[in-house]
Amino acid sequence: MDNNSVRRALLLAVTAVASVAFASDEGVDTPEHVTGEQPYPFDSADPREEDTPAIELPDSVTQKLELLTAEEVEFLKSGDARAFAGSAEDTVEALDERTPEEVKAWVNAMQHVIEHNHYEEGRDAPNIPLNTESPDFNAWRMQRPRAMDPEREPGPVPLGRYDGYGGPPTFGGHPLALSKEDLVAGEVDVAILGAPLNMGSGWRDSGERATADLRLLGWPMGGSDQYVQIDASEVLNIVDYGDVAVDNNSTERSMRHIREIVREIASTGAIPMIVGGDHSLEYPNVAGLADVYGKEKVSVIHFDSHYDAWWGGNHLIGHGYPVYRLINEGHVRAADYIQVGLRSGGPGKSGFKWMREQGMRYHNMAEVEARGWDAVLDRVVAEASEEGRKLHISFDIDVLDPAFTVATGTPVPGGLNMREAIRIVRRLCAESNVVGFDLVELHPALDPTYKTTLNSAHIIKACLTGVAMNREGMTEKHYLSPLSSEHAIDDHYGDQQEYLDATRAEEEKEEAEE
Amino acid sequence: MSTRCILARCGLVTLASAFLLTPYESALAQWSIPDELGAQASVLNDEQLEFITSGAALKFIPEQQLEHELATRDAGSLQALVNALMSVSDEMGYDPQRDMGATPLNTASKRFNRHTLPTPAPLRELEREPGPFSVHRYLYPQSGVPTFAGAKVAIWPEDLIAGKVDVAIIGVPSNASSGRRDAGNGPSAMRATNTIAIPDAQSLIRPHEVLSVADYGDFSVDWLATELAVGHVTDMVAETAETGAIPMLVGGDTSMLYPGVKGVAQARGNGTFGLLHLNAHPDAERFGDHTVSDRQSMFLLLDEGIVDGSDTVQVGLRGPAVNVETLQWLRDKKVRYHTMAEIQQRGFDTVLKRVLREVEKGPDAFFVSIDVSVIDPTEMVAAGRIAPNGLRIEEVTQAIRHVCAAKDIVGFEITDMAPMMDISRLSVVNANAVLNACLVGIAVRKAGLKPDYIHPLVLDHGQ
């Protein structure tokens, strides 16, 4: 208990300092916030799209090219034409099959496709106009003024009648907080925020179904952990921070507001724990942390079956792009990215080559297949716990095998099992310096058994337990309770002799006293 | 390309002009402070009083609650409340210095328009004679690649023309319902559980013998922005209609009703056909912050004059957007709307007769559309924007079959069936039944029979 109160006093001091230090950051717009009809303020070309080399054509096909202009011949030889005409051999073969007239139509069709696919000023809109005439333009993100409700002291509000129980469902049954004042007054350590973004490319119907179901079935999010004999709810002040508003017709438009709310949480020193919602969320979550802790000061560990560093499409955000966009905007150094569990079809060689060049540390299921989970686990935790790292954990539940999380937008078989996942998340949250966490891509409608939602809640619990261990100083490598991990009636594994001797000495001493 | 304006912008211009005609602010009702609360209100300054009496506060707080707050709050607390509401009101509209007015796109992308370009003929891998072709190995196909109605596949307009296709069934797999989402899987699910175009047990017509039906594939949509799907789908529907085939569209969410009907109008002319729309939701949202969405689809069609309100019949309204302002707006537009309240009051048969008479008096040509939310959840649990107390499936099929047989059908669309929401797949079967009702109706008409024709062998065993 003494220990606890010292810790709390310390925490209070830290929180107070933190909120003073970061208060000035609020309201300061970072340049990447697009207002009006401004374009995206960063370079948006994909550097990984390498130009295909041009080819030479043999003299034997000259007659076939007779109707082409010089420019068209150059195009046919260029890298751009390779996507249609293939290698030099394929091209010659295709030319042989065609009359000069057909060759001309063929080349013009390729040019048409290339020309059509590029953005062209005047022909294509560079953006998607919103209806700025709408008198309700910002209705989707307007917060309810506190003054509309009866006055109350700031701080987390237990919603139930019976010692906090018996009210509307909250994440883990934790009290509700709705503002920064509530977080500060409640000395909150962890704020769980729902983010019902529903724009993933796979199955949809995440949205409010995900955040509502995690509240209905989220009782494991807190409470006692048998493995390490700690109760996160007793060690930490945990709150349900409500849901953040999203525009489910535009991921791009939702980003800034989510980032502001994440920043609001982090600026108090609390850990934002975001549950949702499609994986686009990783972008505003980490950007919000970078707003508070500084650019390139936060590392990210990305659990996912997908690498999510896609880029180069017409959109600038989607659930396949957050990693690339965070790096592109300088919130995170690529070298501070660790990825675990990748196994989807892509990326191909160029994607992995790029990741290596950038210094990203990827741990694919191929590595797990080669080395075994225990070896990979130790390697990942060691990397994530390197001195000085502040860590955000982004946990896409599709890193788990669909046997455990069938209700996810883009499931991929061959993933982690719950035992592996709980262990790595608990260890990371205990052994490294976690400043943020998100759990994403829960689509409850796909699972009438609710198993996926329950498993998701247990992943969150593993992190809450880990954070509690960290705060209690239980940061040694792979700590487990000696009491719950061994009955110690005998010395079966050969490592209990010390305990048995001590117990015997104790017993003898008691007998002697009697 | 140059003759067309960028569609999202066209929509915007039209929306803006709509606001000029009916300024939203003028819709605010002035609010007079009740006499007995005059003393309490006197603590407010002029600006605060003006805000309260303009009625602007009632947008955020119900009248009864406002009266309660006036009666019970002390001066400081009351001023704080009014100031808070005023700042909400100030921030509600668009500010170009603060808000994103247009979401930027990646103009450096080499795939900026990739999803809107059908492969040009010289780049197609296989040469074949134009015309719909079978994807089945057997003469009497039992299974294999699933198609709508088990029909032959057509890919290009020349296939439709060569095959003299009467009906082209097309998927439009958008997935942006404002309710529960999975309508993007609607077309595949309806193909995979095909019950369309089977011999009809009422007329004993075999639709495939009367009509040339083709599965015309899916039209490409942008899954991250409905705005970007509208232009391409409109063009493709128009191109289909220009071949003479009737486009039967399978959504997708109901935002695609807008390009569906607009595309047919592009081929045939605005205001040249009527619209029968079965939906629990009026979808006449006038002040949306986006330029298109399911909730705005009817508004856009009426506002842009693509269909005339007086040629539009809506049936089954009951959703949360049915309110005084919306019904009044529909009424002003001369829309023939029929709410579930009317159906409960008068009985379905009476209302159906009224609907059919209105359709009969309308233009010769009709577009028939249904958002599956109109059907009761017991028979359509997969409706994205599910709404209890709806129509029974046989009521819906009866109405649709009749209209599709009685009128010159220029298009059909079924939207917002989200198959994931129904593990029994009953909703898919019923969605197919709705499409089938129109298909059979079209076949009955083409066979020269009366709309509700019943074969004598079916009506009586004659013993």
Side-chain angles (χ1 to χ4, degrees):
Chain A
M1 273 316 276
D2 268 1
N3 227 348
N4 229 358
S5 34
V6 169
R7 187 193 61 80
R8 270 191 199 291
L10 259 172
L11 207 85
L12 184 80
V14 170
T15 314
V17 168
S19 45
V20 169
F22 298 121
S24 58
D25 286 356
E26 288 217 331
V28 177
D29 263 356
T30 37
E32 61 266 26
H33 285 158
V34 168
T35 55
E37 297 196 13
Q38 291 164 12
Y40 181 62
F42 295 87
D43 182 13
S44 61
D46 187 348
R48 297 163 301 185
E49 285 175 346
E50 290 167 10
D51 287 338
T52 315
I55 58 164
E56 285 304 318
L57 290 171
D59 293 342
S60 60
V61 299
T62 308
Q63 185 253 323
K64 297 282 188 183
L65 309 177
E66 64 186 17
L67 295 180
L68 300 186
T69 64
E71 194 192 336
E72 287 164 347
V73 173
E74 276 318 297
F75 173 81
L76 181 59
K77 292 182 189 169
S78 74
D80 279 350
R82 305 281 62 77
F84 311 96
S87 64
E89 293 74 34
D90 292 342
T91 307
V92 170
E93 199 180 311
L95 288 169
D96 285 342
E97 286 170 3
R98 287 173 166 80
T99 65
E101 288 78 15
E102 287 170 343
V103 167
K104 187 156 176 90
W106 184 54
V107 172
N108 291 161
M110 295 179 208
Q111 289 176 308
H112 172 67
V113 172
I114 299 265
E115 186 265 339
H116 175 91
N117 283 352
H118 282 81
Y119 164 76
E120 190 184 300
E121 208 178 324
R123 181 189 66 184
D124 302 316
N127 52 27
I128 303 169
L130 295 159
N131 178 19
T132 54
E133 303 292 325
S134 169
D136 299 328
F137 190 79
N138 291 315
W140 68 281
R141 62 161 183 81
M142 289 305 299
Q143 298 194 41
R144 181 180 170 87
R146 180 64 72 80
M148 286 179 76
D149 290 305
E151 255 188 271
R152 63 166 173 86
E153 277 179 50
V157 186
L159 297 185
R161 183 175 290 116
Y162 309 101
D163 192 21
Y165 293 95
T170 60
F171 293 128
H174 299 295
L176 176 73
L178 288 173
S179 68
K180 185 170 174 175
E181 295 73 54
D182 289 338
L183 297 179
V184 172
E187 297 165 29
V188 168
D189 301 298
V190 177
I192 309 176
L193 175 72
L197 192 62
N198 191 11
M199 296 290 281
S201 68
W203 272 296
R204 282 183 180 167
D205 207 44
S206 175
E208 287 164 30
R209 180 58 34 228
T211 60
D213 276 20
L214 263 172
R215 290 189 172 95
L216 292 178
L217 301 164
W219 48 267
M221 294 160 73
S224 166
D225 186 288
Q226 187 186 107
Y227 294 68
V228 294
Q229 292 296 303
I230 200 167
D231 185 333
S233 306
E234 286 179 5
V235 176
L236 304 170
N237 290 329
I238 307 169
V239 295
D240 182 327
Y241 203 52
D243 275 11
V244 62
V246 296
D247 176 353
N248 266 327
N249 282 320
S250 174
T251 306
E252 184 71 55
R253 196 174 177 221
S254 304
M255 296 290 102
R256 174 172 162 188
H257 181 61
I258 298 168
R259 179 171 166 181
E260 283 166 354
I261 298 292
V262 171
R263 182 196 306 162
E264 179 176 286
I265 297 169
S267 71
T268 69
I271 296 174
M273 214 170 240
I274 302 100
V275 297
D278 78 65
H279 213 162
S280 309
L281 290 166
E282 182 176 347
Y283 164 67
N285 295 349
V286 176
L289 292 173
D291 290 341
V292 173
Y293 295 107
K295 300 263 189 229
E296 305 193 337
K297 296 279 189 259
V298 176
S299 299
V300 183
I301 183 162
H302 175 92
F303 286 93
D304 201 329
S305 63
H306 310 86
Y307 94 136
D308 285 3
W310 300 106
W311 195 252
N314 58 338
H315 291 279
L316 294 157
I317 190 68
H319 76 159
Y321 317 158
V323 173
Y324 190 89
R325 181 151 165 179
L326 283 164
I327 294 168
N328 195 47
E329 294 181 5
H331 303 292
V332 185
R333 293 191 315 140
D336 290 332
Y337 245 103
I338 305 169
Q339 287 173 303
V340 181
L342 313 190
R343 62 186 184 279
S344 66
K349 284 179 189 164
S350 65
F352 281 114
K353 227 178 98 203
W354 173 77
M355 284 202 280
R356 268 197 187 179
E357 285 163 8
Q358 299 287 314
M360 292 172 77
R361 309 193 194 188
Y362 53 80
H363 301 281
N364 306 331
M365 289 315 284
E367 182 185 342
V368 174
E369 189 167 312
R371 315 283 181 183
W373 176 246
D374 287 356
V376 176
L377 166 69
D378 282 339
R379 190 178 178 197
V380 169
V381 176
E383 287 172 0
S385 314
E386 280 166 7
E387 193 61 34
R389 275 194 197 278
K390 291 189 180 72
L391 188 69
H392 175 78
I393 300 176
S394 188
F395 194 95
D396 183 329
I397 61 167
D398 73 25
V399 76
L400 293 163
D401 194 89
F404 304 93
T405 47
V406 68
T408 189
T410 51
V412 187
L416 303 187
N417 66 35
M418 280 302 288
R419 270 189 3 211
E420 291 162 345
I422 285 175
R423 177 153 62 124
I424 193 168
V425 170
R426 190 198 322 113
R427 280 194 58 188
L428 283 169
C429 292
E431 296 171 36
S432 56
N433 181 14
V434 170
V435 296
F437 178 95
D438 62 52
L439 179 132
V440 295
E441 295 282 346
L442 172 63
H443 293 247
L446 285 164
D447 183 356
T449 72
Y450 303 114
K451 177 173 65 185
T452 310
T453 309
L454 274 174
N455 280 336
S456 298
H458 276 278
I459 296 292
I460 294 166
K461 174 182 175 167
C463 186
L464 289 170
T465 299
V467 170
M469 290 166 68
N470 185 283
R471 297 286 158 90
E472 295 289 86
M474 296 150 75
T475 55
E476 69 187 74
K477 187 179 167 188
H478 199 188
Y479 174 85
L480 287 166
S481 160
L483 189 59
S484 66
S485 60
E486 172 60 52
H487 65 54
I489 306 296
D490 54 20
D491 188 17
H492 184 76
Y493 300 108
D495 57 4
Q496 295 295 318
Q497 203 51 56
E498 199 181 325
Y499 170 79
L500 288 169
D501 290 347
T503 314
R504 198 174 303 119
E506 187 91 356
E507 278 169 7
E508 280 165 6
K509 194 175 152 202
E510 275 173 24
E511 274 169 27
E513 277 171 11
E514 278 167 20
Chain B
M1 203 71 194
S2 57
T3 56
R4 264 174 239 134
C5 52
I6 294 152
L7 282 157
R9 286 198 185 280
C10 293
L12 204 64
V13 170
T14 324
L15 278 171
S17 60
F19 290 116
L20 291 177
L21 291 172
T22 54
Y24 185 72
E25 268 64 32
S26 74
L28 291 175
Q30 296 277 317
W31 188 66
S32 14
I33 297 167
D35 292 343
E36 66 272 22
L37 296 173
Q40 281 88 342
S42 66
V43 302
L44 299 174
N45 65 33
D46 288 351
E47 202 190 348
Q48 291 164 333
L49 273 173
E50 195 192 322
F51 175 75
I52 291 286
T53 53
S54 73
L58 299 181
K59 192 170 164 181
F60 315 113
I61 188 166
E63 186 172 3
Q64 199 191 348
Q65 183 72 30
L66 185 56
E67 284 177 14
H68 174 76
E69 303 297 348
L70 274 168
T72 55
R73 286 189 185 235
D74 61 35
S77 164
L78 187 60
Q79 284 166 344
L81 172 67
V82 177
N83 285 340
L85 294 177
M86 285 169 71
S87 68
V88 166
S89 186
D90 280 348
E91 202 180 335
M92 200 57 102
Y94 170 67
D95 175 354
Q97 305 305 318
R98 178 192 60 209
D99 303 320
M100 182 188 283
T103 59
L105 293 165
N106 185 358
T107 52
S109 168
K110 292 177 180 173
R111 307 191 291 274
F112 193 82
N113 294 314
R114 189 167 73 166
H115 300 296
T116 62
L117 184 67
T119 311
L123 297 181
R124 295 175 200 163
E125 298 213 338
L126 189 78
E127 276 185 41
R128 60 173 174 81
E129 290 291 310
F133 56 94
S134 172
V135 292
H136 292 112
R137 176 172 291 115
Y138 297 101
L139 190 54
Y140 304 107
Q142 293 295 313
S143 61
V145 175
T147 64
F148 288 124
K152 294 176 188 173
V153 168
I155 303 177
W156 312 109
E158 50 267 35
D159 292 328
L160 299 178
I161 293 165
K164 293 197 172 63
V165 170
D166 299 302
V167 173
I169 313 180
I170 304 149
V172 190
S174 67
N175 203 357
S177 176
S178 58
R180 309 175 305 165
R181 289 182 172 173
D182 191 43
N185 288 316
S188 321
M190 282 175 66
R191 286 188 178 101
T193 307
N194 174 45
T195 50
I196 303 172
I198 52 172
D200 175 50
Q202 179 179 321
S203 60
L204 299 188
I205 272 183
R206 300 167 199 266
H208 279 305
E209 290 180 4
V210 180
L211 298 170
S212 169
V213 181
D215 183 327
Y216 199 42
D218 287 358
F219 292 157
S220 167
V221 293
D222 187 306
W223 261 36
L224 286 169
T226 304
E227 291 93 332
L228 298 183
V230 165
H232 179 65
V233 173
T234 304
D235 292 347
M236 295 299 281
V237 171
E239 185 186 80
T240 308
E242 275 158 11
T243 70
I246 301 168
M248 293 189 92
L249 306 168
V250 176
D253 71 273
T254 305
S255 65
M256 290 297 110
L257 178 66
Y258 171 56
V261 177
K262 187 174 180 171
V264 171
Q266 205 160 289
R268 293 178 172 263
N270 282 0
T272 60
F273 54 88
L275 175 61
L276 171 64
H277 184 55
L278 289 86
N279 191 347
H281 312 281
D283 289 340
E285 185 180 88
R286 275 119 32 239
F287 309 107
D289 49 358
H290 283 264
T291 58
V292 62
S293 67
D294 52 3
R295 291 192 294 236
Q296 291 162 282
S297 50
M298 281 302 290
F299 164 72
L300 292 169
L301 291 172
L302 293 166
D303 187 61
E304 294 179 16
I306 293 165
V307 290
D308 289 335
S310 54
D311 297 334
T312 300
V313 185
Q314 274 188 303
V315 182
L317 301 183
R318 64 187 183 278
V322 176
N323 53 42
V324 172
E325 294 79 12
T326 299
L327 290 181
Q328 189 60 52
W329 186 83
L330 290 171
R331 206 179 247 208
D332 294 345
K333 284 277 172 189
K334 301 193 166 39
V335 171
R336 276 64 173 158
Y337 62 76
H338 302 281
T339 65
M340 286 309 291
E342 182 191 345
I343 291 169
Q344 273 154 17
Q345 181 72 18
R346 315 280 181 195
F348 176 77
D349 290 346
T350 308
V351 176
L352 177 63
K353 275 193 195 123
R354 189 178 177 199
V355 166
L356 296 183
R357 205 163 46 243
E358 286 164 354
V359 169
E360 198 185 337
K361 284 185 189 160
D364 293 339
F366 252 80
F367 190 112
V368 174
S369 72
I370 173 170
D371 175 311
V372 295
S373 63
V374 78
I375 303 168
D376 193 85
T378 48
E379 293 172 313
M380 187 52 72
V381 71
R385 298 181 294 167
I386 197 160
N389 300 323
L391 296 179
R392 299 199 334 260
I393 183 72
E394 63 265 37
E395 291 169 341
V396 168
T397 53
Q398 184 191 356
I400 286 183
R401 180 186 168 121
H402 180 99
V403 173
C404 289
K407 305 301 280 191
D408 171 20
I409 297 302
V410 295
F412 171 90
E413 185 158 359
I414 179 168
T415 53
D416 215 23
M417 195 271 296
M420 180 174 79
M421 298 300 157
D422 183 355
I423 52 172
S424 78
R425 305 199 187 192
L426 171 66
S427 301
V428 179
V429 172
N430 278 338
N432 274 341
V434 170
L435 196 152
N436 188 60
C438 187
L439 192 71
V440 168
I442 294 169
V444 163
R445 180 181 172 90
K446 199 179 175 201
L449 301 169
K450 288 216 165 80
D452 295 317
Y453 173 76
I454 306 177
H455 195 284
L457 274 173
V458 176
L459 204 55
D460 194 305
H461 60 55
Q463 299 302 320

